[in-house]
Amino acid sequence: MLLSVRNLSKRFDGLHAVKSVDLDLPEGEIRALIGPNGAGKTTLVGMIAGRITASAGSVIFDGEDITRLPAHRRIARGMAYTFQITSVFARLSVAENVGLAARRHLHGAKARKAVAEALDRVGLGARAEQEAGDLAYGHQRLLELAMGIVQHPRLLILDEPTQGLSEGEIEAFQSLIRNLAQETTILLIEHNMRVVMALADRITVLDAGRVLAEGTPEEIHANAAVQAAYLGGGDAQAG
């Protein structure tokens, strides 16, 4: 099992944002994490990635307890996390942003080659010299994805990656994720249920900080509790 989360919990000043979550993610799987606004999805992946300190519980990655490791140590072990809100360096070029991420593993000509390949994969090859801050929001999300890809992670965590993308870009994104799944394990927070149902091998549903259900897309779509909590209102939105 690549990732195992046990009894993971987080309290913020009396608010119990995540409550005793267990999660097992096998290598090579695309796992979607869905749920209503305020369900605790971003808090949960923040704890997995080491950007939020857990109040209780454990995170095991590739057989090692990493619960107390800082985020940069988790990155060194093979995690990459793209944020719900973009975190690019606006005054640097698109290529320079990806180059900063690549330097954790590569240098010189190998790094430049990896940067070019990552940008081509997300469709930003022609924008390599553009300032990142001048990109449209959706393209900044794709730049973040390139920054994750270039690290060749064992686990790629994506937080609402299709936000701000056009329909055509979403189609290209889905093709890219299917391709990436041949190389890495993917944990995906996504509000677009068409994307979730098309991509996920399995889905974990959070509600009020707890795991409400887990299963294949077909099982989740047919789950009455999920319908009541999340899917019943039409187009689902996550937060």
Side-chain angles (χ1 to χ4, degrees):
M1 197 62 63
L2 181 64
L3 177 71
S4 291
V5 168
R6 289 292 176 271
N7 195 39
L8 206 60
S9 301
K10 183 62 182 179
R11 294 181 181 86
F12 294 104
D13 296 326
L15 171 66
H16 209 163
V18 174
K19 306 171 184 176
S20 303
V21 167
D22 291 345
L23 178 72
D24 287 317
L25 183 55
E27 198 152 10
E29 183 174 291
I30 301 175
R31 174 70 60 88
L33 186 62
I34 70 171
N37 288 323
K41 303 180 299 297
T42 295
T43 301
L44 175 60
V45 297
M47 289 190 287
I48 291 170
R51 299 190 177 276
I52 298 174
T53 302
S55 301
S58 62
V59 179
I60 310 296
F61 184 65
D62 197 22
E64 181 182 359
D65 189 334
I66 62 168
T67 310
R68 301 303 167 198
L69 291 186
H72 71 275
R73 297 275 299 278
R74 301 186 196 203
I75 290 170
R77 279 165 170 74
M79 282 192 185
Y81 177 28
T82 73
F83 295 88
Q84 186 177 21
I85 301 170
T86 56
S87 60
V88 301
F89 295 96
R91 296 295 181 88
L92 297 183
S93 73
V94 167
E96 285 170 335
N97 269 273
V98 182
L100 286 174
R103 282 175 202 154
R104 293 192 179 96
H105 304 281
L106 300 169
H107 302 280
K110 286 185 177 180
R112 289 191 293 274
K113 183 173 183 287
V115 167
E117 288 175 351
L119 287 175
D120 283 341
R121 290 185 82 174
V122 302
L124 293 178
R127 299 175 183 268
E129 301 308 316
Q130 187 174 342
E131 274 196 13
D134 290 339
L135 293 177
Y137 178 75
H139 288 162
Q140 289 188 23
R141 302 311 311 274
L142 293 175
L143 172 55
E144 266 210 329
L145 181 54
M147 292 165 69
I149 290 171
V150 80
Q151 298 174 55
H152 296 289
R154 296 190 63 195
L155 174 62
L156 180 60
I157 303 173
L158 305 174
D159 196 344
E160 301 212 25
T162 67
Q163 193 171 10
L165 299 185
S166 68
E167 283 299 317
E169 288 167 338
I170 287 174
E171 289 297 320
F173 168 81
Q174 291 184 193
S175 296
L176 173 60
I177 292 301
R178 290 190 188 100
N179 183 262
L180 283 173
Q182 308 303 311
E183 308 163 20
T184 186
T185 305
I186 296 170
L187 179 59
L188 171 72
I189 296 177
E190 181 54 60
H191 72 280
N192 186 323
M193 289 306 299
R194 283 178 295 171
V195 171
V196 169
M197 293 297 177
L199 288 179
D201 297 309
R202 291 180 67 80
I203 299 170
T204 300
V205 185
L206 284 190
D207 185 35
R210 296 185 184 277
V211 175
L212 176 65
E214 191 170 277
T216 65
E218 294 77 17
E219 289 168 342
I220 293 302
H221 191 264
N223 186 297
V226 176
Q227 291 282 351
Y230 184 49
L231 297 178
D235 288 340
Q237 297 293 318

